[in-house]
Amino acid sequence: MTIDGIVAFVPMRHSSERVPGKNYRDFNGRPLFHHVVSTLLDVPQIDTVVIDTDSPTIEEQCAQHFPTVRCIPRPERLLGGEVPMTDVLAYDASQFPASWYLQTHSTNPLLTAATVQRAIEALDASIDTHDSLFTVTRLQTRLYDQQGNPINHDPSELLRTQDLPPVYEENSNVYVFPDHLIAAGQRIGDRPMLFEVDPLEAVDIDEEHDFVIAELLHKMRSAQ
């Protein structure tokens, strides 16, 4: 296997503008970030999980519950919400040299280890044609731009939505990229693989209603 020995990054700030304290807020009986960290620890291709944070709460919980996870302080110059994620990842990579990196977010609590493993294996199997991977959600619905112009369909030809050519939304679940890409300030290369994730697993928490929906889905899955 070409892609192994991966270092996985989970960047987390203490404060959140839209969902206060979301990273360590209770989510179906555990702090939110515990779910994705546990997922990453179950992926065999991942050697090291790194949490980059300015949060003493997250640092304390990491030391208590995840002793094998490396928790590093984020420099003050990288703390602002306007700082590009690629700058944060470049700093993290400078602290943990590796050939391959993976990045996800604490806000992807429904992501499974099986999906992460399948994504890595898919990229590894096509390494001659793809240089990176990011996860996507398939959309087959009628889309318009801000001026009301159709993007992916012809209004005069009302195809069934299931017959529309699919478009794909970058869902921020998983990124896999080599060291030379992040050194150049990128996490998506020129030949990326788009790896489709089930919409119910791909839920990402950006707003308060996302938190409520994701927790309900997680509870339903836990009860099965």
Side-chain angles (χ1 to χ4, degrees):
M1 187 165 192
T2 303
I3 303 176
D4 58 7
I6 296 172
V7 173
F9 295 134
V10 192
M12 284 182 267
R13 289 188 298 151
H14 184 77
S15 300
S16 173
E17 296 172 3
R18 289 175 288 184
V19 187
K22 67 180 178 183
N23 288 324
Y24 42 86
R25 177 172 159 184
D26 181 81
F27 181 92
N28 194 17
R30 302 171 71 193
L32 179 64
F33 83 91
H34 287 212
H35 294 274
V36 78
V37 171
S38 296
T39 293
L40 295 175
L41 290 173
D42 284 339
V43 178
Q45 296 96 330
I46 294 176
D47 275 4
T48 306
V49 177
V50 178
I51 294 176
D52 156 334
T53 189
D54 65 326
S55 172
T57 301
I58 292 171
E59 287 185 13
E60 291 170 8
Q61 291 191 14
C62 182
Q64 180 181 357
H65 297 279
F66 304 107
T68 64
V69 171
R70 305 291 299 275
C71 199
I72 60 172
R74 184 179 302 186
E76 188 172 349
R77 63 183 174 83
L78 297 176
L79 286 178
E82 74 287 349
V83 175
M85 180 52 64
T86 48
D87 289 358
V88 175
L89 295 175
Y91 170 77
D92 293 344
S94 72
Q95 305 301 300
F96 292 89
S99 296
W100 284 92
Y101 296 101
L102 180 148
Q103 186 232 327
T104 186
H105 297 279
S106 63
T107 52
N108 306 140
L110 291 157
L111 186 65
T112 65
T115 293
V116 177
Q117 185 172 349
R118 284 193 299 106
I120 295 169
E121 290 171 349
L123 179 58
D124 187 78
S126 63
I127 200 64
D128 291 336
T129 54
H130 296 97
D131 60 0
S132 54
L133 174 147
F134 65 97
T135 52
V136 296
T137 304
R138 175 196 292 250
L139 299 178
Q140 283 181 284
T141 186
R142 299 184 183 95
L143 302 174
Y144 294 82
D145 65 18
Q146 289 182 325
Q147 285 71 45
N149 300 309
I151 294 174
N152 65 331
H153 66 286
D154 181 353
S156 67
E157 183 184 2
L158 285 179
L159 293 176
R160 300 180 304 170
T161 53
Q162 61 263 42
D163 294 330
L164 291 173
V167 294
Y168 295 92
E169 176 188 9
E170 182 181 339
N171 59 30
S172 298
N173 277 196
V174 173
Y175 300 87
V176 183
F177 45 89
D179 54 350
H180 67 84
L181 269 184
I182 197 58
Q186 300 173 256
R187 65 180 176 187
I188 298 175
D190 297 325
R191 297 175 289 110
M193 170 179 280
L194 278 63
F195 187 83
E196 189 174 341
V197 176
D198 185 288
L200 292 181
E201 189 174 337
V203 172
D204 183 58
I205 299 173
D206 281 329
E207 306 283 352
E208 184 65 34
H209 67 268
D210 298 324
F211 197 104
V212 173
I213 292 169
E215 188 170 36
L216 286 172
L217 289 171
H218 195 275
K219 287 177 178 179
M220 288 174 60
R221 190 169 74 183
S222 300
Q224 292 177 351

